[in-house]
Amino acid sequence: MIIIMVSHGWRVHSNQRVRIYQENEGNLAIFLDMKEFGDPAPLLIDLTDQSAIITSMPHLVEKVEVKLAKEIVIMWNAEPFNLSATEGIYEDTE
């Protein structure tokens, strides 16, 4: 588990490597650190001294826990992209 200190005394715990960008007001953009597919959609969190509000949660996130001890625990999907298919998604109707 990776732990990163962010603004207002909050700590972010993540089961995968992440990149975190934060504004002066405490708004966070958390990206899963992936090289294969560029930058996927970020997890967006607005932080204050008293609250953590999740404003956008991408499909790569399995679960987010916000704890009273100013901890945000992020569990990312173990296999974020499943690129195999068992059947076609396009059918010719002619």
Side-chain angles (χ1 to χ4, degrees):
M1 187 69 66
I2 299 166
I3 302 172
I4 302 168
M5 293 294 296
V6 292
S7 61
H8 300 290
W10 287 86
R11 288 178 289 181
V12 175
H13 300 250
S14 176
N15 68 333
Q16 299 287 333
R17 287 182 40 154
V18 295
R19 290 178 288 121
I20 299 179
Y21 299 95
Q22 62 183 336
E23 296 177 340
N24 292 336
E25 296 83 30
N27 300 329
L28 301 179
I30 303 172
F31 292 88
L32 185 58
D33 196 8
M34 299 178 63
K35 303 250 187 253
E36 295 86 9
F37 298 102
D39 283 336
L43 170 63
L44 300 177
I45 302 174
D46 292 343
L47 290 181
T48 68
D49 193 42
Q50 300 294 318
S51 67
I53 301 168
I54 299 168
T55 58
S56 176
M57 190 162 78
H59 69 280
L60 298 176
V61 174
E62 182 177 317
K63 176 173 68 170
V64 176
E65 295 177 5
V66 178
K67 299 184 178 186
L68 293 175
K70 288 191 167 185
E71 296 177 344
I72 301 167
V73 180
I74 306 167
M75 299 301 291
W76 299 88
N77 287 323
E79 296 181 21
F81 293 99
N82 183 1
L83 297 178
S84 63
T86 57
E87 60 185 62
I89 58 172
Y90 173 80
E91 294 181 18
D92 191 4
T93 56
E94 293 182 23

PDB file of all heavy atoms in Angstrom, residues 30 41-43 56-64 74-77:
ATOM      1  N   ILE A  30      -6.267  12.404  -9.152  1.00  0.00           N
ATOM      2  CA  ILE A  30      -5.444  11.226  -8.902  1.00  0.00           C
ATOM      3  C   ILE A  30      -5.522  10.317 -10.125  1.00  0.00           C
ATOM      4  O   ILE A  30      -6.603   9.886 -10.516  1.00  0.00           O
ATOM      5  CB  ILE A  30      -5.915  10.486  -7.639  1.00  0.00           C
ATOM      6  CG1 ILE A  30      -5.890  11.444  -6.443  1.00  0.00           C
ATOM      7  CG2 ILE A  30      -5.045   9.265  -7.378  1.00  0.00           C
ATOM      8  CD1 ILE A  30      -6.505  10.884  -5.182  1.00  0.00           C
ATOM      9  N   ALA A  41      -8.964   8.524 -17.197  1.00  0.00           N
ATOM     10  CA  ALA A  41      -9.712   9.533 -16.439  1.00  0.00           C
ATOM     11  C   ALA A  41      -9.254   9.537 -14.984  1.00  0.00           C
ATOM     12  O   ALA A  41      -9.009   8.481 -14.407  1.00  0.00           O
ATOM     13  CB  ALA A  41     -11.204   9.245 -16.530  1.00  0.00           C
ATOM     14  N   PRO A  42      -9.142  10.722 -14.380  1.00  0.00           N
ATOM     15  CA  PRO A  42      -8.679  10.788 -12.999  1.00  0.00           C
ATOM     16  C   PRO A  42      -9.808  10.617 -11.989  1.00  0.00           C
ATOM     17  O   PRO A  42     -10.978  10.838 -12.292  1.00  0.00           O
ATOM     18  CB  PRO A  42      -8.108  12.212 -12.896  1.00  0.00           C
ATOM     19  CG  PRO A  42      -8.979  13.000 -13.820  1.00  0.00           C
ATOM     20  CD  PRO A  42      -9.269  12.049 -14.974  1.00  0.00           C
ATOM     21  N   LEU A  43      -9.425  10.259 -10.776  1.00  0.00           N
ATOM     22  CA  LEU A  43     -10.306  10.317  -9.620  1.00  0.00           C
ATOM     23  C   LEU A  43     -10.191  11.743  -9.097  1.00  0.00           C
ATOM     24  O   LEU A  43      -9.086  12.217  -8.832  1.00  0.00           O
ATOM     25  CB  LEU A  43      -9.851   9.311  -8.559  1.00  0.00           C
ATOM     26  CG  LEU A  43     -10.502   9.381  -7.186  1.00  0.00           C
ATOM     27  CD1 LEU A  43     -11.990   9.090  -7.277  1.00  0.00           C
ATOM     28  CD2 LEU A  43      -9.821   8.411  -6.231  1.00  0.00           C
ATOM     29  N   SER A  56     -15.634  12.908  -9.029  1.00  0.00           N
ATOM     30  CA  SER A  56     -15.610  12.077 -10.229  1.00  0.00           C
ATOM     31  C   SER A  56     -14.817  10.815  -9.927  1.00  0.00           C
ATOM     32  O   SER A  56     -13.683  10.884  -9.457  1.00  0.00           O
ATOM     33  CB  SER A  56     -14.971  12.833 -11.386  1.00  0.00           C
ATOM     34  OG  SER A  56     -14.864  12.006 -12.518  1.00  0.00           O
ATOM     35  N   MET A  57     -15.437   9.651 -10.211  1.00  0.00           N
ATOM     36  CA  MET A  57     -14.760   8.380  -9.959  1.00  0.00           C
ATOM     37  C   MET A  57     -14.739   7.566 -11.253  1.00  0.00           C
ATOM     38  O   MET A  57     -15.788   7.166 -11.745  1.00  0.00           O
ATOM     39  CB  MET A  57     -15.472   7.605  -8.849  1.00  0.00           C
ATOM     40  CG  MET A  57     -14.687   6.418  -8.384  1.00  0.00           C
ATOM     41  SD  MET A  57     -15.181   5.779  -6.780  1.00  0.00           S
ATOM     42  CE  MET A  57     -16.644   4.871  -7.201  1.00  0.00           C
ATOM     43  N   PRO A  58     -13.548   7.342 -11.811  1.00  0.00           N
ATOM     44  CA  PRO A  58     -13.458   6.599 -13.069  1.00  0.00           C
ATOM     45  C   PRO A  58     -13.723   5.110 -12.868  1.00  0.00           C
ATOM     46  O   PRO A  58     -13.695   4.592 -11.748  1.00  0.00           O
ATOM     47  CB  PRO A  58     -12.019   6.843 -13.512  1.00  0.00           C
ATOM     48  CG  PRO A  58     -11.274   7.049 -12.240  1.00  0.00           C
ATOM     49  CD  PRO A  58     -12.239   7.755 -11.321  1.00  0.00           C
ATOM     50  N   HIS A  59     -13.962   4.412 -13.968  1.00  0.00           N
ATOM     51  CA  HIS A  59     -14.257   2.981 -13.905  1.00  0.00           C
ATOM     52  C   HIS A  59     -13.070   2.151 -13.427  1.00  0.00           C
ATOM     53  O   HIS A  59     -13.237   1.003 -13.041  1.00  0.00           O
ATOM     54  CB  HIS A  59     -14.736   2.482 -15.276  1.00  0.00           C
ATOM     55  CG  HIS A  59     -13.666   2.477 -16.320  1.00  0.00           C
ATOM     56  ND1 HIS A  59     -13.285   3.618 -16.987  1.00  0.00           N
ATOM     57  CD2 HIS A  59     -12.891   1.471 -16.784  1.00  0.00           C
ATOM     58  CE1 HIS A  59     -12.319   3.304 -17.832  1.00  0.00           C
ATOM     59  NE2 HIS A  59     -12.057   2.025 -17.731  1.00  0.00           N
ATOM     60  N   LEU A  60     -11.865   2.710 -13.437  1.00  0.00           N
ATOM     61  CA  LEU A  60     -10.683   1.983 -12.970  1.00  0.00           C
ATOM     62  C   LEU A  60     -10.658   1.818 -11.457  1.00  0.00           C
ATOM     63  O   LEU A  60      -9.931   0.993 -10.932  1.00  0.00           O
ATOM     64  CB  LEU A  60      -9.410   2.708 -13.408  1.00  0.00           C
ATOM     65  CG  LEU A  60      -9.188   2.851 -14.909  1.00  0.00           C
ATOM     66  CD1 LEU A  60      -7.946   3.678 -15.169  1.00  0.00           C
ATOM     67  CD2 LEU A  60      -9.067   1.495 -15.553  1.00  0.00           C
ATOM     68  N   VAL A  61     -11.472   2.610 -10.732  1.00  0.00           N
ATOM     69  CA  VAL A  61     -11.497   2.553  -9.272  1.00  0.00           C
ATOM     70  C   VAL A  61     -12.513   1.504  -8.828  1.00  0.00           C
ATOM     71  O   VAL A  61     -13.665   1.526  -9.243  1.00  0.00           O
ATOM     72  CB  VAL A  61     -11.862   3.926  -8.667  1.00  0.00           C
ATOM     73  CG1 VAL A  61     -12.029   3.832  -7.160  1.00  0.00           C
ATOM     74  CG2 VAL A  61     -10.812   4.956  -9.019  1.00  0.00           C
ATOM     75  N   GLU A  62     -12.071   0.585  -7.992  1.00  0.00           N
ATOM     76  CA  GLU A  62     -12.972  -0.432  -7.456  1.00  0.00           C
ATOM     77  C   GLU A  62     -13.698   0.086  -6.215  1.00  0.00           C
ATOM     78  O   GLU A  62     -14.890  -0.123  -6.052  1.00  0.00           O
ATOM     79  CB  GLU A  62     -12.166  -1.679  -7.089  1.00  0.00           C
ATOM     80  CG  GLU A  62     -12.998  -2.821  -6.578  1.00  0.00           C
ATOM     81  CD  GLU A  62     -12.133  -4.039  -6.311  1.00  0.00           C
ATOM     82  OE1 GLU A  62     -11.250  -4.345  -7.141  1.00  0.00           O
ATOM     83  OE2 GLU A  62     -12.336  -4.665  -5.265  1.00  0.00           O
ATOM     84  N   LYS A  63     -12.955   0.809  -5.324  1.00  0.00           N
ATOM     85  CA  LYS A  63     -13.557   1.259  -4.080  1.00  0.00           C
ATOM     86  C   LYS A  63     -12.753   2.434  -3.521  1.00  0.00           C
ATOM     87  O   LYS A  63     -11.533   2.465  -3.645  1.00  0.00           O
ATOM     88  CB  LYS A  63     -13.560   0.107  -3.080  1.00  0.00           C
ATOM     89  CG  LYS A  63     -14.064   0.441  -1.709  1.00  0.00           C
ATOM     90  CD  LYS A  63     -14.196  -0.779  -0.812  1.00  0.00           C
ATOM     91  CE  LYS A  63     -12.868  -1.372  -0.459  1.00  0.00           C
ATOM     92  NZ  LYS A  63     -12.947  -2.415   0.590  1.00  0.00           N
ATOM     93  N   VAL A  64     -13.462   3.400  -2.894  1.00  0.00           N
ATOM     94  CA  VAL A  64     -12.825   4.502  -2.184  1.00  0.00           C
ATOM     95  C   VAL A  64     -13.428   4.549  -0.788  1.00  0.00           C
ATOM     96  O   VAL A  64     -14.637   4.552  -0.629  1.00  0.00           O
ATOM     97  CB  VAL A  64     -13.048   5.865  -2.893  1.00  0.00           C
ATOM     98  CG1 VAL A  64     -12.451   6.995  -2.076  1.00  0.00           C
ATOM     99  CG2 VAL A  64     -12.458   5.853  -4.287  1.00  0.00           C
ATOM    100  N   ILE A  74      -7.816   4.106  -1.571  1.00  0.00           N
ATOM    101  CA  ILE A  74      -8.264   3.836  -2.939  1.00  0.00           C
ATOM    102  C   ILE A  74      -7.841   2.428  -3.327  1.00  0.00           C
ATOM    103  O   ILE A  74      -6.668   2.072  -3.236  1.00  0.00           O
ATOM    104  CB  ILE A  74      -7.652   4.836  -3.934  1.00  0.00           C
ATOM    105  CG1 ILE A  74      -7.929   6.269  -3.497  1.00  0.00           C
ATOM    106  CG2 ILE A  74      -8.181   4.584  -5.344  1.00  0.00           C
ATOM    107  CD1 ILE A  74      -7.114   7.292  -4.236  1.00  0.00           C
ATOM    108  N   MET A  75      -8.819   1.650  -3.761  1.00  0.00           N
ATOM    109  CA  MET A  75      -8.555   0.313  -4.279  1.00  0.00           C
ATOM    110  C   MET A  75      -8.848   0.353  -5.779  1.00  0.00           C
ATOM    111  O   MET A  75      -9.980   0.610  -6.186  1.00  0.00           O
ATOM    112  CB  MET A  75      -9.438  -0.727  -3.594  1.00  0.00           C
ATOM    113  CG  MET A  75      -9.230  -0.813  -2.091  1.00  0.00           C
ATOM    114  SD  MET A  75      -7.550  -1.222  -1.592  1.00  0.00           S
ATOM    115  CE  MET A  75      -7.440  -2.890  -2.148  1.00  0.00           C
ATOM    116  N   TRP A  76      -7.822   0.139  -6.580  1.00  0.00           N
ATOM    117  CA  TRP A  76      -7.960   0.131  -8.028  1.00  0.00           C
ATOM    118  C   TRP A  76      -8.252  -1.292  -8.479  1.00  0.00           C
ATOM    119  O   TRP A  76      -7.879  -2.252  -7.820  1.00  0.00           O
ATOM    120  CB  TRP A  76      -6.673   0.630  -8.681  1.00  0.00           C
ATOM    121  CG  TRP A  76      -6.326   2.024  -8.291  1.00  0.00           C
ATOM    122  CD1 TRP A  76      -5.591   2.400  -7.202  1.00  0.00           C
ATOM    123  CD2 TRP A  76      -6.701   3.227  -8.952  1.00  0.00           C
ATOM    124  NE1 TRP A  76      -5.484   3.766  -7.162  1.00  0.00           N
ATOM    125  CE2 TRP A  76      -6.151   4.301  -8.215  1.00  0.00           C
ATOM    126  CE3 TRP A  76      -7.438   3.508 -10.095  1.00  0.00           C
ATOM    127  CZ2 TRP A  76      -6.321   5.624  -8.604  1.00  0.00           C
ATOM    128  CZ3 TRP A  76      -7.603   4.833 -10.477  1.00  0.00           C
ATOM    129  CH2 TRP A  76      -7.054   5.874  -9.737  1.00  0.00           C
ATOM    130  N   ASN A  77      -8.918  -1.429  -9.615  1.00  0.00           N
ATOM    131  CA  ASN A  77      -9.183  -2.748 -10.184  1.00  0.00           C
ATOM    132  C   ASN A  77      -7.866  -3.452 -10.450  1.00  0.00           C
ATOM    133  O   ASN A  77      -6.915  -2.845 -10.950  1.00  0.00           O
ATOM    134  CB  ASN A  77      -9.973  -2.632 -11.490  1.00  0.00           C
ATOM    135  CG  ASN A  77     -11.404  -2.239 -11.241  1.00  0.00           C
ATOM    136  OD1 ASN A  77     -12.011  -2.651 -10.279  1.00  0.00           O
ATOM    137  ND2 ASN A  77     -11.937  -1.412 -12.121  1.00  0.00           N
TER     138      ASN A  77
END
